[in-house]
Amino acid sequence: MKTCDNTSVGIFITDSQGRYLMFDRATFPPGTAPAAGHVDDHGTAEDAGRAEVEEELGLTVTGLTHATGCWRDNRCRRLPGARGTGHDWTVYQATVTGDLTPSARETKNVRWIAADALQELADRTVAYAHGRITGAGFEATPGIEPVWVQWLADIAAIHISPDDLLRVDQLTR
């Protein structure tokens, strides 16, 4: 099993209608999210962002703009790294080109999600955080992957109360 490098990137991709390109994760952690991954030996966060979009969605990044990011204590499927459990996140907004060819190993149900549907998925994650949905129920019909609720709130793509955001953040640990 690999050891975590404690650095991750995430990449928001939107279309001309303001919809977000998202998918259900085929591997841990469960949830609906955009392309993301560890920086590892990709070099820079930008290089990793480009590589993750290519690997997970088959698209070529033509532009990256920093959107948000910070240290988060979120778990991943790797062994804890030198900084323990968590990641220093860099999250980008990307422009892309090419034909969508999702990775069957990493993605399920790839789709463009409008703002109202994105909010419904975030609300499902909040319900899960409050115990109104079981872990099995969330895995079967996921909401937003918990670590992504913060990033979507940061860019005002969803609305969530500070109390609910704290509750959702507890799911990432």
Side-chain angles (χ1 to χ4, degrees), residues 151-173:
W151 307 139
L152 289 165
D154 284 355
I155 65 167
I158 60 167
H159 303 286
I160 183 170
S161 75
D163 289 341
D164 285 343
L165 193 54
L166 285 172
R167 183 71 69 114
V168 168
D169 191 54
Q170 295 300 310
L171 294 172
T172 68
R173 297 174 185 191

Side-chain angles (χ1 to χ4, degrees), residues 83-94:
R83 296 178 63 188
T85 300
H87 302 85
D88 188 9
W89 280 85
T90 305
V91 180
Y92 297 103
Q93 174 71 43

Side-chain angles (χ1 to χ4, degrees), residues 40 92 102 116-117 121 150 152 170:
D40 287 331
Y92 297 103
D116 57 342
L121 289 170
Q150 176 71 57
L152 289 165
Q170 295 300 310

Side-chain angles (χ1 to χ4, degrees), residues 64-139:
L64 287 173
T65 303
H66 184 267
T68 188
C70 67
W71 176 263
R72 300 288 301 281
D73 291 330
N74 66 301
R75 293 176 288 129
C76 67
R77 62 184 176 267
R78 295 180 178 187
L79 296 172
R83 296 178 63 188
T85 300
H87 302 85
D88 188 9
W89 280 85
T90 305
V91 180
Y92 297 103
Q93 174 71 43
T95 53
V96 297
T97 189
D99 295 324
L100 187 62
T101 53
S103 164
R105 187 180 71 78
E106 299 205 39
T107 70
K108 298 184 294 188
N109 193 22
V110 177
R111 64 212 184 268
W112 292 98
I113 301 177
D116 57 342
L118 199 62
Q119 184 65 53
E120 288 174 14
L121 289 170
D123 293 343
R124 182 162 179 78
T125 304
V126 169
Y128 173 47
H130 283 278
R132 295 189 296 267
I133 297 172
T134 65
F138 188 79
E139 286 187 34

